Amino acid sequence: MNVTLSEAEKVIDAAKKKAESKGTKMDICVVDTGANLTAFARMDGAWLGSVDISIKKAKTAIFFNMDTAQLSPMVQPGSPLYHIEHSNQGLITFPGGVVLKNKAGEIVGAIGVSGSTVEDDHEVAEAGAKAL
Amino acid sequence: MNVTLSEAEKVIDAAKKKAESKGTKMDICVVDTGANLTAFARMDGAWLGSVDISIKKAKTAIFFNMDTAQLSPMVQPGSPLYHIEHSNQGLITFPGGVVLKNKAGEIVGAIGVSGSTVEDDHEVAEAGAKAL
Amino acid sequence: MNVTLSEAEKVIDAAKKKAESKGTKMDICVVDTGANLTAFARMDGAWLGSVDISIKKAKTAIFFNMDTAQLSPMVQPGSPLYHIEHSNQGLITFPGGVVLKNKAGEIVGAIGVSGSTVEDDHEVAEAGAKAL
Amino acid sequence: MNVTLSEAEKVIDAAKKKAESKGTKMDICVVDTGANLTAFARMDGAWLGSVDISIKKAKTAIFFNMDTAQLSPMVQPGSPLYHIEHSNQGLITFPGGVVLKNKAGEIVGAIGVSGSTVEDDHEVAEAGAKAL
């Protein structure tokens, strides 16, 4: 079960609307269960550096089947996954990557959002995920 | 002058329609004049390997302000640009990357398409470019 | 609006003069708004390792439209952007990257300086930025 | 004996003048004998893809103490150095990289030029090299 392109477009549209309602400009990425890019959109004026960060957030979420916000405490100095970011050609382990589930609750992909505070990023990613 | 997200979405929609009319499944990427990702879509069932190829085709086109089809003859063994692909962390120099121009004829970005024969890829990219 | 080469050369000249006045040897880089290299100079005897650092500082500043000094507190352990440096093939998030603005206040690129203390690096980058 | 920054600037100025006289827009790079960047300039409107190519041409020339034009025949299929471009994180082996020599004939660095035909690139690099 993989997110389809039309579902990914719905997810991105919902995320864009949430971003606009918050006055933010986001880079938004959707990957499938194989961690491969399904769709991407950079809102006009969104940070260039967030292109890669949004992609890495989405990949990181699907790599471990959990939101990146759950990883954040585990990657701190002294914590179990310290420096996990060195794997997989670079992970992003702060909030903004959220798994996508279908109505049956199965994971079908992930969304990654970057372009504002990590709280905003996570909120916009959640809004996208809810569109499924 | 950079392609906007809504323009990039129009370009991708036109490319998708052309791909569907040909019975092909494509990965389609749009970059701006700085070679940064603006939008991307992978049609359901399109090759995974074409995600990166479509991105590299779009980047290659904007890197040199020309369609990748124009580069193909120049990169053959014995030709002037042999092995140029080793630069810029990997180029794709076969057809499917096409520059995007606005009504005034200015280059505003590029589209890269991959997923079928290079003839199909180029034709679908052209169809996307004409939507501007 | 992108910094031109002659503007970039003015920026680098001003940075060099400031570095000389402080008895330091700097690597100095200017990128445009697309994060692409516009000009670079390594002062005689400046650290080799600072070639890449100065380039990454300039890119990091334009990636997020802010001076790298603003990022430094946000990337510490326990802070929101911890390990953001794993994105974009490597960021540098300590001081020395400064955005370049034209007279109208629009961002036209960024300067990155490396070769001494981060305080010196930032001061020299600021001196360069003021030349615009 | 390494090229100094002021010598590198003279080399780049001479290359720029030659490029202008030919109506071309070039990316121009100078490296020292350690293959480290000394100076770089992208003429306004020069290809983005040529940033990396000019750097790789200069590095390739100093890596082997010969102009890249001398390498071109040796890297063809069936020739001794076939696929040498896979080393050193990417070489460029077509013309445009030229070694820099001081008055005594000692190699002090290299210049790499990219942005037009390989003949133009080589001619502009030669013009730069002659400024020493």
Side-chain angles (χ1 to χ4, degrees), chain A residues 25-97:
Chain A
K25 298 164 181 175
M26 298 295 197
D27 291 77
I28 308 164
C29 175
V30 172
V31 298
D32 66 12
T33 58
N36 295 293
L37 212 56
T38 299
F40 172 87
R42 172 158 50 97
M43 294 172 70
D44 296 337
W47 289 331
L48 292 185
S50 288
V51 174
D52 187 55
I53 292 174
S54 66
I55 295 173
K56 282 189 164 55
K57 282 182 178 176
K59 289 192 176 189
T60 301
I62 204 68
F63 279 155
F64 303 105
N65 285 347
M66 66 179 76
D67 296 353
T68 55
Q70 294 178 259
L71 279 167
S72 309
M74 294 190 266
V75 303
Q76 301 302 318
S79 293
L81 306 184
Y82 180 53
H83 273 168
I84 192 174
E85 297 88 349
H86 288 268
S87 70
N88 296 288
Q89 304 183 287
L91 301 176
I92 290 292
T93 54
F94 47 78

Side-chain angles (χ1 to χ4, degrees), chain A residues 5 9 16 37 42 44, chain B residues 5 9 16 37 42 44:
Chain A
L5 177 54
E9 288 169 339
K16 277 199 294 188
L37 212 56
R42 172 158 50 97
D44 296 337
Chain B
L5 176 54
E9 287 169 341
K16 278 199 293 188
L37 213 54
R42 172 159 50 96
D44 296 337

Side-chain angles (χ1 to χ4, degrees), chain D residues 109-123:
Chain D
I111 178 174
V113 173
S114 177
S116 179
T117 65
V118 296
E119 290 79 12
D120 282 350
D121 293 352
H122 181 77
E123 190 183 337

Side-chain angles (χ1 to χ4, degrees), chain B residues 33-35 62-66 76-89 91, chain D residues 45 47-50 52-53 56 75-77 82-83 85-86 89-95 118:
Chain B
T33 57
I62 204 67
F63 278 156
F64 304 104
N65 287 347
M66 67 179 77
Q76 303 303 316
S79 291
L81 305 183
Y82 185 51
H83 274 167
I84 193 174
E85 298 86 353
H86 289 265
S87 70
N88 294 288
Q89 305 181 290
L91 301 177
Chain D
W47 289 331
L48 292 185
S50 288
D52 187 54
I53 293 175
K56 282 190 164 55
V75 303
Q76 301 301 318
Y82 181 52
H83 273 169
E85 296 89 351
H86 288 268
Q89 304 183 288
L91 301 177
I92 290 292
T93 53
F94 47 78
V118 296

